[in-house]
Amino acid sequence: MFEYIKGAVASLKPSHIIVEANSIGYFITISLNSYTQLNGQENVKLFLHQVIREDAHQLFGFATEAERELFRMLISVNGIGSNTAIMMFSSLSPDEISNAILNENVNLLKSIKGIGIKTAQRVIIDLKDKVGKSPISEQFVASADNTLRVEALSALVMLGFAKKPAEKEVDKILAAQPNLPVENVIKLALKSL
């Protein structure tokens, strides 16, 4: 299984990218979301997911690890294949998909081409707990100006602390001292948890 690829952009289209690495051109299917992030770059690093079938070997590429993790969660749902998951990322941003799952927004999910009401409900039922507990998926749920909070929470959850008490503690620390570096926020939270 491939983890990631680094190389020069030989061609970039809204549906795929060709990355040249060590004189080999790799055709990688991407979402519109990844295309937007990669547009204008000469060299890229893409996180990969490989699908091997009888008739094809496909590579799917993602600009971030968090997007790839959400993709892998989506394809674990019965009725959602790799191409449907890519279509979801092309219709909505990863944070919109995560928020739709967490807020049980069936209508937003079924507005995506290829997703009916039953599939949208299945996505919510199967993934609500996974998306809520995943530290990497936290990046989508939080806003961009909240990265310090997300990094601190991710570290605490990875250390084995429950999410809800860790959230309360981090929020309390950041309310009192919003300009603390992430290491100090984690240290203070560790002392009181």
Side-chain angles (χ1 to χ4, degrees), residues 55 116 128 138 140-141 148-149 163-164:
D55 59 340
K128 187 168 183 181
E138 273 289 322
F140 297 135
V141 179
L148 176 70
R149 179 179 183 271
K163 185 179 167 199
K164 289 292 178 195

Side-chain angles (χ1 to χ4, degrees), residues 138 142 146-154 167 170-171 174:
E138 273 289 322
N146 227 355
T147 54
L148 176 70
R149 179 179 183 271
V150 171
E151 288 177 13
L153 275 175
S154 294
E167 273 181 338
V170 168
D171 288 343
L174 289 175

Side-chain angles (χ1 to χ4, degrees), residues 92-190:
L92 300 171
S93 67
D95 59 329
E96 288 172 324
I97 295 170
S98 292
N99 286 327
I101 293 168
L102 291 172
N103 297 322
E104 299 182 20
N105 190 342
V106 174
N107 290 328
L108 183 61
L109 292 176
K110 76 175 184 143
S111 71
I112 300 167
K113 183 182 178 213
I115 303 288
I117 190 162
K118 288 184 179 179
T119 304
Q121 290 169 336
R122 196 176 310 118
V123 167
I124 290 168
I125 290 167
D126 289 1
L127 299 184
K128 187 168 183 181
D129 289 340
K130 289 180 185 177
V131 169
K133 291 178 183 169
S134 171
I136 291 179
S137 294
E138 273 289 322
Q139 295 173 19
F140 297 135
V141 179
S143 61
D145 59 1
N146 227 355
T147 54
L148 176 70
R149 179 179 183 271
V150 171
E151 288 177 13
L153 275 175
S154 294
L156 292 168
V157 169
M158 297 287 263
L159 290 171
F161 291 97
K163 185 179 167 199
K164 289 292 178 195
E167 273 181 338
K168 286 181 184 175
E169 196 55 42
V170 168
D171 288 343
K172 188 170 81 175
I173 292 166
L174 289 175
Q177 302 173 41
N179 296 325
L180 276 181
V182 69
E183 303 85 29
N184 293 355
V185 173
I186 295 167
K187 286 177 187 174
L188 288 171
L190 286 172

